[in-house]
Amino acid sequence: MPQIIDGKAISAQIKDEVKEKVSQLKEQGISVCLAVIQVGNDPASSVYVGNKKKACAYVGIESLSYELAEETTQEELLSLIRELNQKEEVNGILVQLPLPGHIDENAVIGAIDPRKDVDGFHPQSVGTLCIGQPGFVSCTPAGIIELLKRSGVKIAGKECVVIGRSNIVGKPMALLLLRENGTVTVAHSKTENLKEVTARADILIVAVGKPRMITAEYVKEGAVVIDVGIHRNENNKLCGDVDYEDVAPVCSAITPVPGGVGPMTIAMLMYNCANSVSLQ
Ligand code: NAD
């Protein structure tokens, strides 16, 4: 049977490390504060925002909550961001996505001071990741690197295939694997012969956004498989982009859904918040 990579345990370990760091900062008279902005009351977003605030409370980071009405204008939101950019006591600014259709997400992300961009979505953060300079890294891919390292998976020199090229998962994931000296291929919706491409992977990262699409036929014997997807199946149970039952017997290690990549995103957000102090 493969090693089951336990995201719940690893994320708990990271949160405890952040808690320790935050408490050391407090002893030096430095407090850490995250501003969380939600526009509208999309139920899924409310759950994410609630979980982020809970994690802040656990690690000792203060959270400021801005719950704005659905009809908030782009200018009103930008003006709040500019105000928070100026506030010295605010270390991180997080705008929960997706935003209502009348607001341009890129304009909003671009307005956040890159020194407070704890989600790592600002073009400057993506640029620093690309050229290997210090900066914030998008939380989900950063969490996947931690999962691999803390599970003893060697990345350097390995064939890494990422399925998906989104700005928040696929692209930063590929850059991070490259930074760890992996040999990286990015597959996407226009890739031809996907199975041949993925069959080369020693490490296969699946962020395709299609429930249980990746079956054993896509996976090399002994590969490490990381499943980023989150969906509800026909019985309302959570499942990933990987057909877990089919793939687990052929791989050497795999992340489950739930309890794999999911819990890592918030843990790395806490890590970014604690780290923001040294970038400011
Ligand atoms: P997305 O829809 O933005 O991107 C999907 C990518 O898959 C695209 O780049 C597309 O080119 C590629 N793709 C689509 N169909 C394909 C096919 N048939 N063959 C090959 N490539 C194909 O999704 P995303 O935002 O990157 O998220 C991916 C998945 O991860 C989703 O299920 C999402 O819910 C989940 N997710 C989880 C977390 C977490 O914290 N665990 C965070 C972000 C996203």
Side-chain angles (χ1 to χ4, degrees):
M1 277 311 278
Q3 174 190 357
I4 314 288
I5 298 179
D6 187 346
K8 248 175 144 175
I10 295 173
S11 64
Q13 196 179 31
I14 292 173
K15 279 192 270 182
D16 284 336
E17 289 165 14
V18 172
K19 190 175 180 175
E20 178 61 28
K21 180 165 182 181
V22 171
S23 121
Q24 283 169 5
L25 287 168
K26 270 194 189 135
E27 279 166 25
Q28 299 163 39
I30 301 166
S31 57
V32 185
C33 172
L34 171 68
V36 182
I37 306 173
Q38 183 182 355
V39 185
N41 41 21
D42 169 59
S45 291
S46 300
V47 171
Y48 291 133
V49 164
N51 288 341
K52 287 169 187 176
K53 287 192 231 164
K54 240 189 260 169
C56 281
Y58 179 77
V59 301
I61 291 174
E62 189 193 343
S63 61
L64 301 177
S65 196
Y66 296 87
E67 286 159 21
L68 309 184
E70 179 85 24
E71 53 277 8
T72 302
T73 65
Q74 180 166 318
E75 189 42 44
E76 282 164 340
L77 178 57
L78 292 176
S79 144
L80 172 61
I81 292 171
R82 285 193 286 268
E83 193 188 304
L84 295 169
N85 282 343
Q86 297 300 322
K87 278 199 173 155
E88 229 174 85
E89 64 274 23
V90 171
N91 304 94
I93 302 172
L94 183 147
V95 181
Q96 184 63 43
L97 302 178
L99 289 166
H102 64 280
I103 299 180
D104 173 2
E105 282 185 359
N106 287 332
V108 171
I109 293 167
I112 296 172
D113 182 336
R115 290 167 304 172
K116 300 190 178 188
D117 174 39
V118 284
D119 254 340
F121 295 160
H122 191 285
Q124 187 171 315
S125 304
V126 180
T128 50
L129 170 61
C130 194
I131 59 173
Q133 284 184 2
F136 291 108
V137 178
S138 171
C139 300
T140 302
I144 292 169
I145 295 292
E146 287 302 314
L147 280 182
L148 292 171
K149 286 186 172 171
R150 291 175 191 237
S151 304
V153 176
K154 183 173 170 260
I155 303 172
K158 298 293 175 191
E159 286 277 355
C160 305
V161 175
V162 181
I163 317 180
R165 56 175 164 185
S166 71
N167 288 342
I168 60 167
V169 186
K171 280 182 203 151
M173 188 72 251
L175 290 167
L176 281 173
L177 289 164
L178 190 59
R179 187 158 98 177
E180 298 296 330
N181 299 312
T183 303
V184 183
T185 304
V186 181
H188 47 78
S189 53
K190 300 284 185 290
T191 296
E192 290 179 4
N193 307 318
L194 181 64
K195 285 180 191 164
E196 282 168 32
V197 175
T198 58
R200 291 206 302 264
D202 300 309
I203 300 174
L204 179 62
I205 314 274
V206 186
V208 71
K210 303 234 153 56
R212 301 211 303 262
M213 174 181 146
I214 300 304
T215 54
E217 305 172 79
Y218 288 82
V219 180
K220 179 167 89 174
E221 183 86 37
V224 173
V225 177
I226 304 290
D227 186 356
V228 189
I230 315 179
H231 315 274
R232 294 233 169 239
N233 70 12
E234 53 286 355
N235 305 319
N236 205 31
K237 283 225 167 101
L238 288 176
C239 72
D241 290 346
V242 173
D243 185 336
Y244 186 89
E245 275 73 34
D246 197 45
V247 169
V250 302
C251 60
S252 63
I254 186 165
T255 55
V257 177
V261 173
M264 295 302 291
T265 303
I266 291 189
M268 296 315 289
L269 174 68
M270 296 301 107
Y271 174 89
N272 279 353
C273 290
N275 235 19
S276 65
V277 174
S278 57
L279 287 168
Q280 283 157 13

